[in-house]
Amino acid sequence: MLLSIGLAALLPYAILISVSIVFVYRTVSEDSFRYAAALSEQRATEISVKLNSLVGQGKSIASAFSAYAAIPPAERRAAIDGELRAVIEDQPDVLAAWAQWERGAIGDDPRDYVGSKLTTASGAFNTTWYRVGSDIHQGWINDDAYGSDFYTIPKASRRISLIEPYWYSYTNDEKNRFLETSLCIPIVTGGTFKGVLGFDFSVDLFERMVARPAPVDPSYGVLIAGSGIIVGHPRAERMGRPFAEGELSEERRADFLRLLSAGTAFTFDGRSSLTGEDSRYYFSPVKVEGVEVPWFFALVAPTARILAPARVIAFVLIALGAVGAFLVAASILLVSRALSRPISALAEGARRISSGELSYRVPAEGSRGTSAEVNALASSFNEMADKLQAILSELESRVVERTASLAAANGELERTLAELKTAQSGLEFSAKMALLGRLTAGISHELNTPIGVIRSSASAILRSSEDLERLFLPTYAALPEADRGLFRELFGRGLRKARSGPGTEDRRRKKEVVRRLEAAGAEKARDLAEAMSTLDAFDLERELLAFAGRGGWGAISAAEGAVESCESAAAILEAAEKAARTVSALANYSRSEGLDALEAVRPAEEIEELLTLHYNRIKRSVAVERDFACRDPVRGYRDRLVEVWMNLIDNALQAMDYKGRLRVSTAREGDWVVVSVADSGPGIPDDLREKVFTPFFTTKSPGEGIGLGLDICRRIVERHGGSMSFVSRPGETVFSVKLRAAVAEAGP
Amino acid sequence: MSDKAILCVDDEAIIVFALKQELKSHYADRFVYETALSAEEALSVIGDLDGEGLRLILVISDWLMPGMRGDEFLRAVKAARPDVQAMLVTGQADGATIESLLKDGVANGVVLKPWRSSSLFAKIDICLEAFT
């Protein structure tokens, strides 16, 4: 990681160095090239200055010559001769100084001089001074020279001209042969061409110019005339030869000549014929007054040498870059090693600690190789590990502690739970027993009452049956025929009354009868009244009184006994019914489904029947209001619904102590038939309202009920898909039962 | 005809009927037998009896009745007529209650439902000894 970061840092450095090297190399080499070019130009300028000074001298001499008219004609030849001699004497570079005149130009007739010294055959004054070694000689120019370039070119152009180099020997021998060039200056006076003044130079002059110490060894200079002939070259045999020859391939020569004729500076690369090295040729024009085709100075420098400084700098830069890169890389390596070793140690430490080896510590590096920061990091790491270990051991001890206390608490809880369970089962058992006790008490009362009645009535019947056998039949048999009708009447009435069950005695009526009979002095008035009550014969008071008076007492008693037996039987029947109802209530309670068939039941009619049959006895103390606004049927189990109505009515009566007002009503509410039973009792206390429908809840004392009534009612009503509710306040408590109305065709 | 009256009180008609029939068949003309279906009715009957020249000697009352309970009723009777014997008929009352009623003299005897004729008569006879 660190290494790659280091390398990533190194890469831009390398790129920077490379770019710099290329830039510097290019800049420096360009500078070198420019310098070489400038040098070439400078040499060319020097040469042209020198040549131009020669031209200037020539021009001044020529202009001096043009003033020859002021000299007397006889002295003109001597004056010109002197001038020329002075030039050759003063200018060592000049090999020859000459003048060639038009015929008659200097104002004399050449024919006058024919045959004289230093004249042409025609006598023309074409004198020349020339140098041979250190000696100066005088000679003359032949007449045929009038047709040579030296003369015709300046004459035609009227301009100074530098003649292309040529080989010449003044002494006409091979030994003193020079490669020379001539500067030819036309002499013009008053617009008239008079002749040509000329100076010959050895190309050695140029060679010397060229041979100046070169700025870059082994570079050298070459001077080329306008025609491409070498006039200056370090190698003598090359002088006078065309430059292109031996220096350039055939195909490049044409290009070269074209560049030369253009007359401006140019360069080209090639292999030097002198050094054999790849070189660059810097051609700079040498501009000389009066020279149509410029000469060129060529600086030939080996490319390698020109580029040497650039290469040196580049090399130095590369070396510096490499050294720098190496140093950077080395420091990165060192730093990364220095960092990665402690970091690896830290990582190892973290790995070991995380794998549970909490006692592991990162080894101290000391000062060697690691920085203070890394050391600090390591010691922080170790500190952290110390703290971690401390925290863990504290946690462990806490866990142990907590586990122990939890175990203790758990044990405590288990014991408590066990105790609670025992207590609960005890409580549940006692609650069950209490409930069972209550239930048993209720049931036993509900059953004992009818059993008592049955037992008592059955005994009474048994006893009276003896009387029947002993009294009834003999008495009846003994009755005179006239009284048998009355007896049958009394007996029949008594039986009819008895069959409807025990009713309330009409004490008031009996009392009246007793008072009346006693007032009339009748015997056994009370017995008679009692008999009338038993036999339902208050309207037969007179007949009975008469019957008793004529010895009918036995018959009356016999009839009473028979009727009372019958009443006892009726009481037994009712008691049995009551017991059966109790048992049925219990059975229904434990039974979840009715076995009866669903039928259309009309609550209004059922309740009316109930009130008539079972609640006659309450008539005196309770005002019963019936408000059967709805007589629609509901679908249900008739017997179960009867239980509901009876329970509700019983509860209502009990709630108001059998005194007050009982209101039973039916009403239609949408799809529902609502049956309400209201009492005028004290109302259900707030704290008991929630318990009203709870099984075995009762406000009745033991013996008054078993506390299942409303729960049974609710179950029955809910099984019918209905609901039960109540509202209660002091003076009125209304229990309502909502049952779904049966569809019309379900009615009877 | 006797001028001594026995009053039977119970909220259930068949019980007072059965009691009356039983007493009648056993004691026959020795007493006049009156019945009432509640304590309140019984108190009015007692008033009537005085007017009829009858002497109430024994009240046999159910213990658990709507309205005034049997023991309350007997207390009231005893308070007004200390000479009247009182018997309680109960299907429920526990031993301790019966003990305290007997101890306080509210009841002179207690008959448990369902009663047997023999024990009923035996207890009534004990009460009646006070008048013979």
Side-chain angles (χ1 to χ4, degrees):
Chain A
M1 182 62 192
L2 279 168
L3 205 60
S4 53
I5 290 169
L7 288 174
L10 205 55
L11 186 67
Y13 175 79
I15 289 168
L16 183 68
I17 288 290
S18 309
V19 168
S20 304
I21 287 168
V22 168
F23 176 75
V24 167
Y25 179 83
R26 193 171 286 171
T27 309
V28 172
S29 57
E30 275 172 7
D31 272 358
S32 297
F33 287 134
R34 214 173 290 131
Y35 171 68
L39 194 67
S40 164
E41 199 182 323
Q42 188 196 332
R43 286 291 165 83
T45 308
E46 281 171 13
I47 291 166
S48 60
V49 164
K50 198 146 206 170
L51 287 173
N52 278 328
S53 88
L54 284 173
V55 170
Q57 275 184 357
K59 276 170 83 176
S60 65
I61 293 166
S63 67
F65 282 178
S66 29
Y68 67 89
I71 302 165
E75 293 171 27
R76 286 178 185 167
R77 292 203 177 203
I80 291 164
D81 198 42
E83 285 281 341
L84 290 172
R85 185 185 174 119
V87 168
I88 192 119
E89 280 175 354
D90 292 348
Q91 302 285 339
D93 289 334
V94 175
L95 280 177
W98 50 268
Q100 186 171 354
W101 301 88
E102 284 279 280
R103 291 176 199 284
I106 53 174
D108 55 4
D109 189 352
R111 285 168 297 187
D112 298 340
Y113 299 93
V114 170
S116 68
K117 203 185 168 193
L118 297 175
T119 57
T120 63
S122 64
F125 182 59
N126 291 347
T127 185
T128 176
W129 285 88
Y130 64 93
R131 201 187 301 271
V132 178
S134 55
D135 301 330
I136 292 168
H137 302 278
Q138 193 172 34
W140 69 95
I141 301 165
N142 292 332
D143 287 331
D144 52 357
Y146 282 105
S148 73
D149 292 346
F150 309 96
Y151 193 80
T152 53
I153 291 170
K155 184 183 178 181
S157 66
R158 303 272 177 100
R159 290 170 63 183
I160 294 165
S161 107
L162 191 65
I163 303 301
E164 287 294 295
Y166 55 93
W167 291 97
Y168 189 74
S169 174
Y170 294 96
T171 52
N172 209 18
D173 56 17
E174 285 299 311
K175 205 172 81 191
N176 288 309
R177 210 162 158 258
F178 301 101
L179 181 64
E180 58 175 49
T181 182
S182 301
L183 183 68
C184 305
I185 305 156
I187 302 161
V188 179
T189 303
T192 310
F193 177 76
K194 300 291 186 180
V196 174
L197 176 69
F199 303 105
D200 296 347
F201 305 95
S202 165
V203 291
D204 289 351
L205 166 69
F206 304 116
E207 201 178 337
R208 282 204 304 280
M209 288 178 189
V210 167
R212 283 186 55 195
V216 185
D217 189 60
S219 63
Y220 59 95
V222 177
L223 189 64
I224 298 163
S227 59
I229 297 296
I230 294 171
V231 292
H233 198 278
R235 191 169 286 171
E237 61 265 29
R238 292 283 287 144
M239 300 289 278
R241 310 292 307 163
F243 173 82
E245 192 178 282
E247 212 75 45
L248 294 170
S249 58
E250 290 286 339
E251 54 267 28
R252 290 183 70 181
R253 285 178 192 173
D255 273 348
F256 173 69
L257 291 175
R258 194 174 43 75
L259 286 168
L260 278 186
S261 62
T264 51
F266 66 94
T267 62
F268 71 85
D269 293 318
R271 184 176 289 263
S272 166
S273 58
L274 181 68
T275 61
E277 286 188 55
D278 285 334
S279 304
R280 179 160 287 193
Y281 294 73
Y282 293 91
F283 281 86
S284 301
V286 176
K287 295 199 169 141
V288 183
E289 191 187 348
V291 176
E292 282 291 319
V293 181
W295 289 17
F296 274 89
F297 174 78
L299 181 68
V300 183
T303 317
R305 292 306 169 100
I306 298 169
L307 293 176
R311 282 179 179 163
V312 166
I313 289 169
F315 173 76
V316 168
L317 278 176
I318 288 167
L320 281 175
V323 168
F326 172 76
L327 286 175
V328 169
S331 9
I332 285 167
L333 260 177
L334 282 173
V335 168
S336 75
R337 281 192 65 192
L339 279 174
S340 71
R341 193 170 43 199
I343 286 169
S344 303
L346 282 172
E348 171 70 8
R351 190 187 63 72
R352 290 224 193 167
I353 283 172
S354 66
S355 67
E357 200 181 321
L358 286 174
S359 58
Y360 183 81
R361 293 292 178 275
V362 175
E365 281 281 325
S367 56
R368 183 181 57 81
T370 332
S371 67
E373 290 90 335
V374 175
N375 266 339
L377 187 58
S379 65
S380 300
F381 182 88
N382 284 341
E383 240 170 72
M384 183 199 74
D386 287 345
K387 279 182 188 161
L388 192 61
Q389 199 171 14
I391 287 167
L392 274 177
S393 64
E394 196 190 330
L395 273 178
E396 265 173 26
S397 64
R398 276 196 199 171
V399 165
V400 167
E401 208 173 285
R402 287 289 162 85
T403 307
S405 61
L406 274 176
N410 200 26
E412 189 73 23
L413 276 175
E414 274 174 6
R415 276 195 299 282
T416 311
L417 189 62
E419 280 166 19
L420 277 174
K421 272 184 181 166
T422 313
Q424 190 193 13
S425 59
L427 277 176
E428 277 174 3
F429 183 71
S430 5
K432 275 181 194 163
M433 288 315 287
L435 200 60
L436 192 61
R438 247 186 112 79
L439 185 61
T440 313
I443 294 167
S444 61
H445 180 269
E446 294 302 307
L447 291 179
N448 280 341
T449 300
I451 288 168
V453 171
I454 289 164
R455 199 182 257 167
S456 164
S457 300
S459 310
I461 290 170
L462 273 180
R463 273 192 302 276
S464 62
S465 65
E466 292 167 18
D467 291 344
L468 278 177
E469 187 187 17
R470 184 169 53 83
L471 287 175
F472 189 82
L473 293 174
T475 303
Y476 183 75
L479 273 183
E481 195 60 37
D483 289 331
R484 282 188 180 174
L486 179 62
F487 182 82
R488 280 199 299 273
E489 174 68 21
L490 290 173
F491 189 52
R493 283 193 185 202
L495 286 182
R496 277 195 296 279
K497 178 173 174 280
R499 280 191 199 106
S500 70
T504 48
E505 289 184 282
D506 201 340
R507 282 185 49 77
R508 196 164 302 279
R509 206 162 180 186
K510 269 201 295 189
K511 219 151 73 178
E512 281 170 20
V513 172
V514 170
R515 198 178 299 126
R516 198 163 45 239
L517 290 175
E518 278 178 348
E523 280 180 34
K524 295 185 172 180
R526 196 172 296 274
D527 289 342
L528 204 56
E530 186 72 34
M532 285 160 76
S533 170
T534 303
L535 299 173
D536 194 20
F538 285 112
D539 56 330
L540 298 174
E541 186 182 321
R542 214 160 27 85
E543 289 86 342
L544 272 174
L545 193 58
F547 186 48
R550 59 177 179 267
W553 271 115
I556 292 171
S557 293
E560 272 188 273
V563 168
E564 279 162 4
S565 285
C566 190
E567 277 181 334
S568 290
I572 287 170
L573 191 63
E574 193 170 330
E577 284 295 331
K578 184 179 162 71
R581 274 206 305 279
T582 304
V583 171
S584 159
L586 283 168
N588 283 342
Y589 186 72
S590 51
R591 190 171 68 191
S592 61
E593 283 172 26
L595 296 169
D596 325 327
L598 268 175
E599 54 190 319
V601 182
R602 292 176 191 275
E605 290 170 13
E606 296 285 323
I607 292 166
E608 226 156 5
E609 195 182 323
L610 270 180
L611 287 172
T612 308
L613 284 180
H614 293 275
Y615 296 95
N616 258 332
R617 61 191 163 97
I618 62 170
K619 274 190 254 175
R620 280 187 294 142
S621 54
V622 176
V624 179
E625 293 175 16
R626 296 173 174 83
D627 176 18
F628 298 125
C630 165
R631 291 183 175 271
D632 296 335
V634 297
R635 265 185 86 70
Y637 304 100
R638 185 186 302 277
D639 290 351
R640 316 310 298 279
L641 290 177
V642 166
E643 271 179 67
V644 174
W645 315 137
M646 286 185 75
N647 261 308
L648 290 180
I649 293 167
D650 282 344
N651 274 332
L653 291 174
Q654 229 152 6
M656 57 183 177
D657 257 342
Y658 298 89
K659 292 190 295 279
R661 187 174 48 84
L662 173 76
R663 193 168 60 83
V664 186
S665 57
T666 59
R668 181 74 184 236
E669 284 181 15
D671 290 341
W672 303 91
V673 173
V674 181
V675 178
S676 301
V677 176
D679 66 67
S680 57
I684 301 168
D686 286 350
D687 57 329
L688 299 179
R689 290 187 184 198
E690 284 181 10
K691 298 181 186 169
V692 160
F693 291 108
T694 308
F696 303 114
F697 169 77
T698 179
T699 55
K700 298 166 194 170
S701 305
E704 289 185 357
I706 53 177
L708 288 175
L710 284 173
D711 182 50
I712 289 173
C713 289
R714 187 179 54 82
R715 284 161 175 253
I716 292 170
V717 169
E718 284 174 1
R719 210 179 301 156
H720 280 77
S723 61
M724 258 187 96
S725 60
F726 71 93
V727 286
S728 180
R729 57 181 170 81
E732 186 175 61
T733 300
V734 185
F735 274 85
S736 298
V737 173
K738 250 176 142 175
L739 292 167
R740 194 173 286 281
V743 283
E745 62 266 36
Chain B
M1 172 120 196
S2 173
D3 60 349
K4 297 190 194 73
I6 295 175
L7 176 60
C8 299
V9 186
D10 198 308
D11 60 316
E12 297 212 41
I14 52 170
I15 296 205
V16 287
F17 168 78
L19 267 176
K20 184 183 169 184
Q21 289 299 99
E22 201 146 25
L23 292 174
K24 221 170 150 183
S25 70
H26 186 73
Y27 295 108
D29 293 341
R30 282 176 64 194
F31 306 106
V32 170
Y33 310 101
E34 291 293 343
T35 62
L37 288 171
S38 69
E40 291 81 357
E41 190 188 349
L43 288 174
S44 93
V45 169
I46 290 167
D48 287 350
L49 290 176
D50 289 340
E52 292 166 31
L54 291 169
R55 184 183 169 208
L56 181 66
I57 60 160
L58 174 64
V59 177
I60 301 171
S61 175
D62 186 23
W63 183 30
L64 289 167
M65 291 182 293
M68 191 186 282
R69 256 168 47 171
D71 50 339
E72 266 180 88
F73 166 63
L74 291 183
R75 259 180 235 282
V77 172
K78 282 277 187 181
R81 313 282 287 271
D83 56 318
V84 174
Q85 293 289 300
M87 260 179 82
L88 204 59
V89 180
T90 175
Q92 228 298 317
D94 58 285
T97 312
I98 294 166
E99 282 287 308
S100 78
L101 285 174
L102 289 172
K103 198 178 149 204
D104 294 350
V106 175
N108 301 96
V110 172
V111 175
L112 296 177
K113 287 181 185 173
W115 64 90
R116 289 190 177 282
S117 303
S118 52
S119 79
L120 175 70
F121 298 143
K123 285 179 181 179
I124 290 173
D125 288 343
I126 290 168
C127 291
L128 293 179
E129 274 172 17
F131 299 94
T132 52

